[in-house]
Amino acid sequence: MPTGHTLAIHTRTQDEEDLPHATKRTMADHLRKYETIFTLTPQRMRMITEAFKEALELGLQKPGQIVPMIPTFVFGWPTGQEKGEYLALDLGGTNLRVCLVSVQGDGKFEIAQSKYRLTEEQKQEDGQKLFDFCAECLKTFIDQNLTESDSPLHLKPGEKLPLGFTFSYPCAQDRIDHGVLIRWTKGFGAPNMEGHDVAEIFRKSLEKYDVPVVLSALINDTTGTLIASHYVNPKTKIAVIFGTGCNAAYMEHVSNIEKIKSLNIDSSTDMAINCEWGAFDSFEHEHLPRTKYDITVDEDSNKPKEQAFEKLISGRYLGEILRLVLCELIDEAVLFLGQNTYKIEVPYAFDTAFLSLMESDPTDELLMIIGIFSHFFALETTLAERQFFRALAKLIGRRAARLSACGIAAIVDKMGYLETEEPCLVGADGSLYNKYPGFADRIHEGLVDIFGEKGRRIVTHHAEDGSGVGSAIIAAMTKARRDAGLYPDL
Ligand code: GLC
């Protein structure tokens, strides 16, 4: 053609044999190459775990380290007898949720909630506007659920409900109802918020919309997950989230948190730590095996060099990593010859959910994969190509799970959780953990690769809703602590 473009004369009704597809052999050769770069040996995993452990320790010693290890001012485990009605607001990576949680003691609770999806604009625009939207949603929820005289919990005029705000981003806290946003993660933008106290900004929004609540705790989703999981199962020691972002929290001895020594908190006390481990190996890139696709993801992200660990693992990026491999094979004229590939060439066009779907396709013909490629990208595929795509998804998904195992192993090793015969339960949540087929099994396999047989004592399980229930329990714990006069200013 005069423009230099190839004319795609094939239609989708034509037999796939008509298209100049790559042979089975070529696809197998390519797969071998990707296997080499995406596979993590047990030895490499042990090295990563060691380096990870050092980064966690450093984060506890001094402020401003790569892995920030944020003290949360959640003092110790819940008793399981916490009670009361609390509102919880959950601002995550994809949705906004408003919950009314009734904490009933004995590991029981009830929850009513409304969910709102955030638009891309809301994620990039002015931060105050985003918080105004949160306040408005909260106000609507209260008006609809709590002001009618026949509602189960009737709010009297002038009465205010305690609110736990789950804000799933790194915030430096020097008390529980305050937090300075260190940086946005998970593709959020709103630059005017970084370095500011988000609790303060949110209080302004609450005032503006006259919302009858008192912001009593600002928490991270992992901290909420830790507390909610322990409330239901007291054997829980660690919480992890594998969703749009990835992170972990655990309970630390205050005596080990060197950087808060000046607060003179009784050294026999425990405090939950929000690790913000997604930042591991940021800037220096010394320990994690990054492929050229990972480097492109990083450089084209809105925070280059940051969240190095998260970029290899979390749901925000896995689809993009796979898409970049496909684009390379398109450029090398291996895939989709004679077809129009513009749809798949759009950054972030390949959702991580497609990897889950491809891996779980139960048909011999891989019909699900046919559907994804034809429906979303107007591309025809052969069986050999589809088998390759599925194998590639598996490599990327498996690498993510094995790296996750390294993070868990670092905490387990640091805390000596395998030194007793007790199982070490890990409460896990997030779309990858909950929906990606085999993700949990691959983490468990990875833990055995790192620790040998005793690694089997570390068991992940689907956690309770940390951002809702956990946030409410933490609000209850905080109230009880302050009422008892225990560090009332923290
Ligand atoms: C990102 C955030 C972190 C959050 C995690 C999971 O890593 O920085 O705060 O816990 O995503 O949502």
Side-chain angles (χ1 to χ4, degrees):
M1 291 184 74
T3 54
H5 287 136
T6 329
L7 177 64
I9 48 163
H10 304 283
T11 68
R12 267 193 272 156
T13 49
Q14 258 177 305
D15 189 18
E16 59 180 31
E17 299 307 316
D18 292 354
L19 287 163
H21 283 285
T23 64
K24 204 169 165 185
R25 176 88 199 281
T26 326
M27 291 328 299
D29 286 346
H30 283 286
L31 186 61
R32 259 194 297 281
K33 185 175 80 200
Y34 296 116
E35 256 162 20
T36 319
I37 58 172
F38 283 111
T39 301
L40 276 174
T41 63
Q43 193 199 2
R44 186 75 198 257
M45 292 172 75
R46 285 192 285 266
M47 282 163 65
I48 295 172
T49 305
E50 235 3 80
F52 215 126
K53 212 172 101 184
E54 280 170 26
L56 300 180
E57 270 155 9
L58 202 63
L60 289 176
Q61 277 164 30
K62 298 183 228 156
Q65 298 305 296
I66 297 217
V67 179
M69 303 295 277
I70 302 172
T72 61
F73 299 92
V74 173
F75 288 79
W77 297 113
T79 59
Q81 294 315 316
E82 287 75 13
K83 288 195 177 103
E85 313 292 331
Y86 297 88
L87 280 165
L89 185 78
D90 171 19
L91 184 65
T94 315
N95 298 310
L96 170 70
R97 225 162 33 114
V98 185
C99 316
L100 174 65
V101 190
S102 153
V103 184
Q104 297 161 340
D106 291 327
K108 296 196 202 88
F109 58 84
E110 268 174 22
I111 182 161
Q113 59 178 357
S114 290
K115 221 173 180 174
Y116 310 82
R117 203 172 171 94
L118 296 169
T119 64
E120 275 312 307
E121 292 79 69
Q122 281 173 320
K123 292 183 193 173
Q124 306 303 333
E125 271 179 4
D126 179 83
Q128 182 83 55
K129 255 193 185 160
L130 175 67
F131 277 15
D132 280 358
F133 173 71
C134 294
E136 259 188 285
C137 291
L138 193 56
K139 174 91 164 130
T140 312
F141 182 87
I142 293 174
D143 286 348
Q144 284 171 353
N145 297 290
L146 302 177
T147 51
E148 299 297 321
S149 50
D150 58 350
S151 60
L153 180 70
H154 176 57
L155 208 57
K156 295 174 205 81
E159 195 187 346
K160 290 188 170 187
L161 265 188
L163 170 77
F165 180 18
T166 308
F167 182 66
S168 309
Y169 299 88
C171 286
Q173 298 191 271
D174 45 39
R175 47 173 211 275
I176 196 159
D177 51 6
H178 146 277
V180 174
L181 177 61
I182 299 175
R183 62 176 169 271
W184 287 108
T185 54
K186 304 185 275 196
F188 261 74
N192 60 337
M193 262 206 191
E194 289 177 341
H196 294 278
D197 177 3
V198 286
E200 205 42 57
I201 302 178
F202 189 47
R203 280 194 190 95
K204 275 198 203 130
S205 300
L206 292 171
E207 257 169 48
K208 187 161 156 191
Y209 289 89
D210 202 14
V211 191
V213 297
V214 190
L215 175 52
S216 53
L218 178 76
I219 69 157
N220 183 264
D221 51 354
T222 47
T223 318
T225 305
L226 182 70
I227 297 303
S229 296
H230 193 279
Y231 177 75
V232 175
N233 190 334
K235 289 212 168 86
T236 304
K237 299 214 162 53
I238 302 174
V240 285
I241 307 266
F242 302 112
T244 310
C246 94
N247 191 10
Y250 73 104
M251 196 58 77
E252 184 56 276
H253 312 302
V254 164
S255 56
N256 288 341
I257 320 174
E258 186 65 35
K259 63 184 176 186
I260 58 165
K261 276 265 148 71
S262 64
L263 294 178
N264 293 322
I265 300 169
D266 180 355
S267 63
S268 64
T269 317
D270 285 345
M271 189 187 286
I273 296 287
N274 162 20
C275 302
E276 286 295 332
W277 78 9
F280 172 60
D281 208 31
S282 295
F283 306 106
E284 305 280 323
H285 305 305
E286 286 174 306
H287 306 292
L288 296 170
R290 296 197 311 159
T291 65
K292 61 176 166 181
Y293 318 101
D294 301 309
I295 293 172
T296 307
V297 165
D298 181 38
E299 287 174 350
D300 294 349
S301 71
N302 61 357
K303 300 273 164 160
K305 299 195 169 60
E306 298 187 12
Q307 297 298 96
F309 187 60
E310 178 160 275
K311 282 175 179 155
L312 305 184
I313 295 179
S314 82
R316 170 138 184 109
Y317 305 101
L318 297 190
E320 180 62 2
I321 298 171
L322 187 133
R323 194 192 68 83
L324 288 170
V325 175
L326 298 189
C327 285
E328 176 179 76
L329 293 173
I330 293 172
D331 286 348
E332 290 175 1
V334 176
L335 287 176
F336 312 130
L337 267 182
Q339 302 192 62
N340 197 337
T341 50
Y342 76 100
K343 286 196 174 174
I344 207 164
E345 286 174 34
V346 177
Y348 289 89
F350 206 89
D351 206 288
T352 298
F354 293 154
L355 272 72
S356 308
L357 287 171
M358 295 204 294
E359 281 215 52
S360 51
D361 191 334
T363 64
D364 291 343
E365 284 296 298
L366 299 178
L367 298 175
M368 180 82 83
I369 306 186
I370 297 189
I372 293 170
F373 279 83
S374 63
H375 182 76
F376 292 96
F377 305 105
L379 291 169
E380 291 194 27
T381 52
T382 60
L383 183 58
E385 287 165 346
R386 294 194 290 280
Q387 283 163 341
F388 167 81
F389 301 149
R390 199 228 291 258
L392 189 60
K394 190 169 169 188
L395 288 177
I396 295 171
R398 188 157 180 264
R399 183 185 68 158
R402 289 171 76 74
L403 285 170
S404 307
C406 297
I408 296 173
I411 299 180
V412 167
D413 206 24
K414 183 197 161 316
M415 297 305 286
Y417 291 146
L418 283 181
E419 280 155 28
T420 63
E421 287 303 309
E422 255 192 40
C424 167
L425 286 198
V426 179
D429 206 354
S431 47
L432 264 194
Y433 185 83
N434 297 333
K435 296 192 189 139
Y436 201 107
F439 198 80
D441 293 342
R442 289 170 182 169
I443 292 180
H444 293 141
E445 264 166 41
L447 288 165
V448 174
D449 279 348
I450 297 169
F451 290 119
E453 280 307 298
K454 65 179 181 194
R456 293 195 196 281
R457 295 215 301 273
I458 311 166
V459 182
T460 70
H461 63 99
H462 171 66
E464 282 316 323
D465 165 21
S467 318
V469 180
S471 170
I473 298 169
I474 290 172
M477 288 168 72
T478 305
K479 181 167 186 310
R481 167 170 66 81
R482 287 182 170 167
D483 287 352
L486 213 58
Y487 312 113
D489 301 328
L490 297 180

